[in-house]
């Protein structure tokens, strides 16, 4: 094994802590620096995760020449600025989902990555996980015949706090961008694999949403997608309603149920996909054995593909991210959700 990839974290919030804890289980990476908007937060985070270098600003962190890879863990509206600055500082980038607020911003980030010759990946951890690879293999093998219908839900109930990034419009609040993005990415993946591609774009996107009177963001939302070859998808997202966060796929010869599509075996361990075919009385349990944590697998995926600049599908490639952002733009357009600074059509 080569030298460990030197990581730094930009932002000391909830997912920053999760990633820091998981990186300890990575076989390829080591956390060496953290940057925060305040020295106090950087120090607290550094003490907790035993990180030697703590910076009181993101700019100071990016000036550290020894850091090779940056994990961007700020709220979504800040991703575009810091991803472009990190690319210009020639750091490899793993940026939290959604990569940016809309497709136009995502294009700017990808251009900066291309121009600086650095690795860039949108951090959809489930796309890096062996369970998703197994799902793709099952579909490629035609285990349920022709795919007809996809159902994908990611929805939870959070406290009604208008200052939290989930409900605050200035911080990119709302469920479509927070968790609907997982569902669009999954539906595009499944429909694409079903027709022999890595992913495919929907022909039609129609949404409805409950926009909170106080929050001004979509507190829960639904979308209907139509793909080529007659594949349809029903998506549900929410930050104010607990739903069963699952994926179901119905085909001409059976169905697939994924009980834990988004955070499979969080700390490592087995995870299961159920396949029901017309030939069998009961569903077949397909057990996926995993010996690393969800976010460690993601960090190891980055390390394994630095030279190629992108990790291969089902991890998020640049074109996959652009297509997903476009689908999110269309979903938001359909429900009339526009963020500050965006043109009328996102
Ligand atoms: N992949 C996953 O499983 C997953 C899970 C949760 C969230 N996420 C994504 O990760 C990102 C962060 O989510 P989170 O839940 O970790 O958010 P969070 O707990 O609110 O933390 C965000 C951090 O960003 C920094 N920040 C920079 N500018 C800020 C501003 N204007 N206001 C508030 N904080 C600011 C802060 O760190 P400093 O004070 O240190 O600067 C803050 O602690 C989001 O894009 C989200 O979609 C991904």
């Amino acid at each position: 094994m080569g030298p460990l990839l030197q990581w730094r974290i930009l932002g000391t919030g909830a997912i920053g802590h999760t990633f820091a804890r998981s990186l300890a289980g990575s076989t390829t990476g080591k956390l060496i620096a953290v940057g925060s908007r305040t020295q106090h937060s950087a120090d607290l985070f550094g003490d907790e995760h035993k990180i030697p270098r703590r910076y009181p600003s993101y700019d100071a962190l990016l000036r550290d020449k020894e850091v090779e890879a940056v994990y961007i863990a700020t709220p979504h509206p800040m991703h575009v600025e810091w991803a472009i600055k990190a690319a210009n500082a020639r750091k490899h980038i793993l940026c939290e989902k959604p990569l940016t607020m809309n497709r136009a911003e995502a294009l700017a980030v990808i251009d900066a990555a291309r121009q600086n010759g650095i690795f860039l990946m949108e951090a959809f951890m489930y796309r890096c996980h062996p369970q998703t690879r197994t799902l793709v293999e099952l579909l490629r093998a035609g285990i349920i015949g022709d795919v007809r219908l996809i159902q994908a839900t990611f929805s939870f109930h959070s406290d009604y706090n208008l200052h939290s990034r989930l409900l605050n419009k200035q911080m990119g609040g709302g469920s479509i961008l927070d968790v609907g993005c997982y569902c669009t990415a999954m539906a595009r993946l499944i429909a694409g694999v079903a027709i022999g591609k890595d992913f495919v774009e929907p022909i039609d996107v129609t949404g409805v949403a409950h926009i909170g009177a106080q929050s001004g963001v979509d507190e829960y939302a639904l979308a209907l997608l139509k793909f080529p070859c007659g594949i349809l998808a029903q998506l549900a997202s929410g930050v104010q309603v607990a739903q069963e966060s699952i994926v179901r796929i119905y085909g001409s010869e059976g169905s697939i149920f994924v009980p834990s599509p988004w955070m499979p075996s969080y700390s490592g361990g087995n995870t299961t996909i159920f396949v029901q075919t017309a030939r069998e009385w009961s569903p077949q349990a397909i057990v996926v054995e995993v010996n690393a944590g969800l976010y460690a697998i993601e960090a190891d995926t980055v390390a394994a593909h630095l030279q190629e600049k992108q990790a291969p599908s089902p991890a998020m490639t640049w074109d996959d991210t652009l297509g997903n952002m476009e689908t999110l733009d269309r979903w938001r357009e359909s429900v009339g959700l526009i963020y500050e600074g965006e043109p009328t059509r996102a």
Side-chain angles (χ1 to χ4, degrees):
M1 194 198 304
L4 292 179
L5 179 64
Q6 313 267 291
W7 282 92
R8 74 147 98 66
I9 292 187
L10 198 148
T12 59
I15 195 65
H17 280 284
T18 301
F19 188 78
R21 275 191 294 275
S22 289
L23 205 55
S26 159
T27 52
T28 60
K30 184 170 187 236
L31 189 52
I32 66 154
V34 58
S36 172
R37 291 166 303 160
T38 66
Q39 185 68 58
H40 181 64
S41 289
D43 286 338
L44 284 179
F45 194 94
D47 287 347
E48 185 171 340
H49 299 290
K50 302 187 176 46
I51 306 170
R53 302 180 202 184
R54 300 104 185 253
Y55 293 104
S57 74
Y58 302 154
D59 280 314
L61 180 71
L62 292 177
R63 284 195 291 272
D64 183 335
K65 293 211 172 351
E66 284 183 40
V67 174
E68 295 171 286
V70 191
Y71 171 62
I72 297 176
T74 66
H76 349 310
M78 294 94 207
H79 292 177
V80 61
E81 175 185 357
W82 293 104
I84 290 174
K85 284 184 175 167
N88 290 339
R90 307 221 169 197
K91 312 296 184 191
H92 299 300
I93 302 168
L94 174 64
C95 180
E96 261 312 332
K97 41 53 61 174
L99 181 67
T100 53
M101 295 295 288
N102 53 48
R103 186 183 185 277
E105 289 184 357
L107 201 52
V109 170
I110 288 170
D111 278 350
R114 188 178 284 115
Q115 277 166 27
N116 286 287
I118 51 107
F119 178 95
L120 168 71
M121 187 171 82
E122 184 179 19
F124 276 113
M125 70 300 194
Y126 82 90
R127 287 289 205 100
C128 301
H129 194 272
Q131 173 177 273
T132 303
R133 269 205 306 282
T134 301
L135 179 62
V136 166
E137 284 159 14
L138 291 170
L139 292 167
R140 284 217 172 101
I143 195 159
I144 58 164
D146 297 335
V147 171
R148 302 247 156 99
L149 191 63
I150 302 161
Q151 295 172 338
T153 299
F154 196 163
S155 182
F156 60 92
H157 185 85
S158 64
D159 291 342
Y160 203 82
N161 174 2
L162 292 171
H163 300 291
S164 84
R165 71 161 187 88
L166 293 174
L167 292 170
N168 185 297
K169 197 164 181 187
Q170 264 89 47
M171 288 211 274
S175 76
I176 294 175
L177 287 187
D178 192 55
V179 282
C181 61
Y182 287 82
C183 304
T184 49
M186 181 65 104
R188 293 171 50 262
L189 173 72
I190 293 167
V193 168
I195 60 169
K197 301 181 172 183
D198 285 343
F199 57 87
V200 70
E201 304 310 337
I203 305 161
D204 290 332
V205 179
T206 309
V208 285
H210 168 72
I211 308 281
Q214 293 182 69
S215 65
V217 300
D218 65 293
E219 297 179 356
Y220 37 94
L222 302 171
L224 295 177
L225 273 51
K226 181 175 181 182
F227 290 99
C229 296
I231 300 171
L232 305 179
Q234 299 169 286
L235 313 182
S237 63
V239 295
Q240 278 293 292
V241 57
Q243 298 181 69
E244 204 181 8
S245 290
I246 54 159
V247 167
R248 289 184 193 271
I249 310 162
Y250 297 92
S252 55
E253 291 165 35
S255 60
I256 296 178
F257 171 46
V258 190
S260 183
W262 319 121
M263 291 190 230
S265 55
Y266 194 80
S267 310
N270 293 349
T271 181
T272 308
I273 297 173
F274 295 92
V275 177
Q276 176 71 66
T277 63
R279 297 180 297 280
E280 285 153 351
W281 286 104
S282 53
Q284 184 192 353
I286 311 244
V287 178
V288 183
E289 291 175 20
V290 187
N291 53 18
L294 183 57
Y295 299 90
I297 293 172
E298 183 178 59
D300 292 344
T301 303
V302 175
H305 297 284
L306 284 182
Q307 302 312 319
E308 298 117 90
K309 317 300 180 208
Q310 307 184 43
S313 186
M316 291 300 279
T317 60
W318 297 353
D319 284 344
D320 202 346
T321 285
L322 286 173
N324 206 47
M325 293 306 313
E326 167 88 22
T327 304
L328 294 169
D329 287 354
R330 291 168 74 187
W331 187 353
R332 286 199 295 116
E333 186 183 30
S334 175
V335 304
L337 179 61
I338 297 165
Y339 291 94
E340 202 180 309
E342 286 187 322
T344 314
R345 192 213 184 287

